[in-house]
Amino acid sequence: MADVLVVVDHVDGVVRKPTLELLTLARRLGEPVAVHLGPGGGAAARVLGEHGAVRVLVADAPEFAEFLVVPKVDALQAAVEAVGPVAVLVSSSGEGKEVAARLALRLGSGVITDAVDVRPGDGDGGGGGGVVAVQSVFAASFTAVSRVTRGVPVVAVKPNAAPVEVAAAAGVVEELAVEFGESARGTRVVSRTPRASTGRPELTEAAIVVSGGRGVNGAENFAVIEALADALGAAVGASRAAVDAGWYPHANQVGQTGKSVSPQLYIANGISGAIQHRAGMQTSKTIVAVNKDAEAPIFDLVDFGVVGDLFQVVPQLTEEITARKS
Ligand SMILES: Cc1cc2nc3c(=O)[nH]c(=O)nc-3n(C[C@H](O)[C@H](O)[C@H](O)COP(=O)(O)OP(=O)(O)OC[C@H]3O[C@@H](n4cnc5c(N)ncnc54)[C@H](O)[C@@H]3O)c2cc1C
């Protein structure tokens, strides 16, 4: 069976959820071979094996942390040469997309970013084998089905594109020999500042996102949105109007000029549904909106809509969820 490389996204060996989702997708294409760069490969290998990685290629060197991106590309090129995979899957984060693009250039192949699905390429739209990727484009108004036409396809997949599935595999650890090229030490990381933790999941990875817009009407009122998010174990998002008003941090903005999210459930509160906001959330699996204006455009794309005042609806929802949980 063909091998599929999965680039492991981790923090000191703690594997992030999008990587486990990639392993689910990789199993549709062939046998997953995970590539773990940096510290903690041993601990990560166990988790990766539990989620279907047949082999785990590990490489650790100070270059991965001290310099930006290129050392990882060097290592992944070595991994592709060693394994000869049918595809390379990487998480569609900012770094993931840059790594994907540089790797595809090195391999003389092509890159597909922000994929929401991946499948073997013998079926509809794909033709001729290989790997077919699905993207949701132009504010999710169109679905693009595409494939890389030469070489090893490199596909960056959005978080939440697939479920995390346990699938025991050997997870055999193998050392990956890497030689860094001249450009590997070109951009040095000079400092790191940890972001203050809210205890909530990362916005782009969260399975549930609860967002607030101008209708929240003040920074202090975001407590209502946060309470619902906490009852659901969700991340908090915000429209640009709310962010521009200084009610919530820019890092939480969802949309064209904010973050793109694709959770299982997206709850928009006091958000009108402007095209630029839709661009960042329209691929959510289930969309719920609370808005007091029955004509708000957000209602054109919802699965469930509540016409009402969010200050009445949201606390009741939070209370009900909390009661059912206990
Ligand atoms: C280049 C560009 C990029 C942009 N990028 C983004 C982006 O990334 N993300 C983004 O969000 N926007 C973006 N925008 C802005 C976008 O066009 C809208 O202005 C913005 O999304 C509106 O935010 P909103 O829905 O919160 O506010 P509004 O459009 O003012 O809507 C507020 C809604 O709240 C409802 N409401 C009010 N009070 C209540 C209440 N008590 N209970 C229930 N409902 C209530 C109202 O009925 C209304 O529908 C961008 C714009 C441009 C030009």
Side-chain angles (χ1 to χ4, degrees):
M1 203 185 218
D3 288 328
V4 182
L5 278 192
V6 171
V7 182
V8 178
D9 186 5
H10 68 97
V11 180
D12 294 333
V14 178
V15 179
R16 300 178 75 163
K17 183 168 153 272
T19 300
L20 304 180
E21 296 164 5
L22 290 184
L23 288 170
T24 301
L25 290 173
R27 290 201 304 279
R28 293 187 196 162
L29 309 173
E31 289 202 328
V33 177
V35 186
H36 184 286
L37 307 175
R46 190 179 49 77
V47 178
L48 296 165
E50 285 166 2
H51 291 85
V54 177
R55 293 153 67 197
V56 181
L57 309 184
V58 298
D60 192 7
E63 279 82 351
F64 295 127
E66 284 175 24
F67 299 91
L68 279 185
V69 186
V70 178
K72 290 182 180 160
V73 180
D74 286 345
L76 291 171
Q77 186 178 6
V80 169
E81 281 160 12
V83 172
V86 287
V88 180
L89 302 185
V90 52
S91 184
S92 204
S93 60
E95 184 187 88
K97 283 190 267 195
E98 188 174 348
V99 166
R102 286 170 180 265
L103 180 64
L105 189 67
R106 294 261 189 106
L107 299 175
S109 62
V111 63
I112 297 171
T113 59
D114 287 336
V116 294
D117 199 10
V118 178
R119 56 177 188 257
D122 319 300
D124 56 312
V131 170
V132 168
V134 179
Q135 292 159 300
S136 190
V137 296
F138 296 129
S141 314
F142 290 88
T143 296
V145 179
S146 47
R147 78 186 161 87
V148 171
T149 52
R150 63 172 191 205
V152 180
V154 185
V155 186
V157 183
K158 274 188 161 188
N160 291 310
V164 172
E165 288 170 4
V166 174
V172 177
V173 177
E174 293 171 27
E175 282 291 332
L176 175 68
V178 186
E179 272 184 36
F180 297 111
E182 255 179 45
S183 57
R185 296 178 183 86
T187 317
R188 183 183 287 277
V189 177
V190 290
S191 72
R192 289 175 198 274
T193 311
R195 198 183 312 144
S197 171
T198 59
R200 299 190 183 96
E202 159 61 32
L203 183 60
T204 54
E205 295 173 12
I208 305 176
V209 174
V210 180
S211 283
R214 206 193 308 262
V216 174
N217 199 24
E220 65 286 359
N221 296 336
F222 255 85
V224 173
I225 306 298
E226 289 179 331
L228 176 57
D230 291 342
L232 290 165
V236 175
S239 73
R240 178 157 157 183
V243 168
D244 284 351
W247 301 341
Y248 224 67
H250 177 68
N252 295 68
Q253 183 182 317
V254 172
Q256 183 187 316
T257 43
K259 287 182 178 163
S260 180
V261 300
S262 209
Q264 298 296 322
L265 172 64
Y266 187 85
I267 307 180
N269 302 286
I271 293 178
S272 59
I275 186 78
Q276 296 89 354
H277 188 77
R278 293 162 70 139
M281 46 65 77
Q282 203 163 2
T283 54
S284 305
K285 307 287 178 302
T286 301
I287 299 173
V288 177
V290 180
N291 196 304
K292 66 181 182 186
D293 176 8
E295 303 295 320
I298 191 90
F299 286 127
D300 294 342
L301 69 140
V302 297
D303 297 282
F304 301 101
V306 182
V307 179
D309 186 330
L310 73 92
F311 295 106
Q312 290 182 1
V313 176
V314 175
Q316 285 183 61
L317 186 54
T318 307
E319 212 173 285
E320 184 66 25
I321 289 162
T322 310
R324 289 193 187 209
K325 269 167 51 184
S326 59

